[in-house]
Amino acid sequence: MRDKSLAVLAFGLFLLTTATLFLRPAELFIWMADLPIYELLILSSFGLAFQSFTGHFRWFMLARQPVTLCVAGVFLAIAISHLQYIYVSGAIDSGTLFLKTLIYFGLLITTVNSPSRLKTFLLTVAICASTMVTLCVVDYYELYDFQFIEHLDDMQGITDEDEIITVKRMRGTGIFQDPNDMAMVICFTGVICSMFLLDPSAGKLRLLWLLPMIVLVIGLLSTKSRGGLLACGLAGLVLLAVRNGGRVAFLAGVMAISVLPLIAGRQADIDLEEGGTGHERVTLWREGFEELKSSAILFGTGQGSYPDIAGLVAHNSYIHSYVELGLFGGTMFFGCFFFIGMQLYRMGRLPEPVLNDELVRMRPFICAMVSGWCMSIFSLSRCYVVPTYLLIGTATTYLNLVWIHTASGEPLVIWNRLHAIRLAVASGTAFAGLYVFTAIMAR
């Protein structure tokens, strides 16, 4: 009974930890500015769940969940990327920073250990993220001035009279102050809200989820994020395809493309012409690839080195990880999504039923969350931060619960030589594709 009570307490503390990612007490209440609330919550949860936590990182469990293995591989790659240059302090600093992310990921897959807890966790994310977006929308449209929210005046060009053209873009709070980060969170949250909206067990009360979804749409358009718009579009199409079939998704896609320019304005103007934002990012990608034409190709240039190479981060998490962590670390980061995708695919073709209706119902929404995030980080460098591993951890938790709730109790994928080869081939193909695309478009 005592162990069960401690597990419940660890889960509750983890939910509070997650809440502080979106609603930071230090911003909402000035008197809490100097309190390390996030650190206290996550360390308390970690202490209570330590024994179960370490179990997920033993080889027996790593082999049965390759996503966790790849996340641990990213941590190892970060250290190696510095140690190969005998840069010990860099390895310690970078490793310590990512260790905090690794602990969050580990707590997610440890404490969220049942379908009901997964649903509670997603409910917490949906409420907290929607509240954050609501506050930002209210501030953006000047209905109320929140001192801790500042929006971005983004330069769009110069007129013939040499006047600077700017566009106001909505920013979030805390770690979501980049409008593109905000759009990424909005996409993720929108999928969760739609999951609760379409939950028949909630009855008519589920219609209340329409309110935050309306706010999320307003927030997405206010970020003026092209990457966020593409992510939401892909997430929506994947949700429809998995849930309702490819034909429905195709028709919805055609309709969306026809009305997109009318409602999205700047966000629908996506091009890679020289001088545009898209072309500037491709140029950053080229600079990173050029640096890999050396011995750095295997273990990278060192975590955190991209700004030194190109002046800015890559604005592409896949390229960013390949350059800083080399083919080894880039493959580990790519592998997180590769094995999530493989397991979601295999789940749809299981010879035995999943013995939990809620897990079956959630599959299209998990597919949509992952697809949207994969698209978002194509234009953002977010390969080491907690939000990315919140998404990876959510999918990993879901997949762990799926194979536990089958009659055989067998994992969907087990790490072996064949899967290692498949990962290497898929990662190599992705790397080559990104390189060729960059070489062509950066001319």
Side-chain angles (χ1 to χ4, degrees), residues 3 13 16 28 57 59 63 73 108 121 133 141 145 162 171 175 193 211 217 230 232 247 270 293 337 367 371 401 411:
D3 290 342
L13 289 170
L16 290 174
L28 297 173
F57 292 92
W59 179 251
L108 202 168
F121 170 74
V133 175
Y141 288 100
D145 182 19
D162 292 331
R171 300 168 70 179
I175 59 177
C193 290
L211 296 175
V217 171
L230 287 173
C232 286
R247 184 175 299 179
I270 301 172
K293 294 179 179 179
F337 300 98
C367 290
S371 300
L401 291 172

Side-chain angles (χ1 to χ4, degrees), residues 21-22 24 27 172-178 181 382 385-387:
L21 292 174
F22 302 99
R24 301 181 67 181
E27 293 178 336
T173 62
I175 59 177
F176 304 110
Q177 293 196 20
D178 187 312
D181 280 310
R382 298 295 180 266
V385 298
V386 169

Side-chain angles (χ1 to χ4, degrees), residues 143-157:
L143 300 177
Y144 186 87
D145 182 19
F146 293 104
Q147 297 299 315
F148 56 89
I149 301 176
E150 295 183 6
H151 302 290
L152 176 67
D153 290 322
D154 198 8
M155 189 178 77
Q156 293 300 297

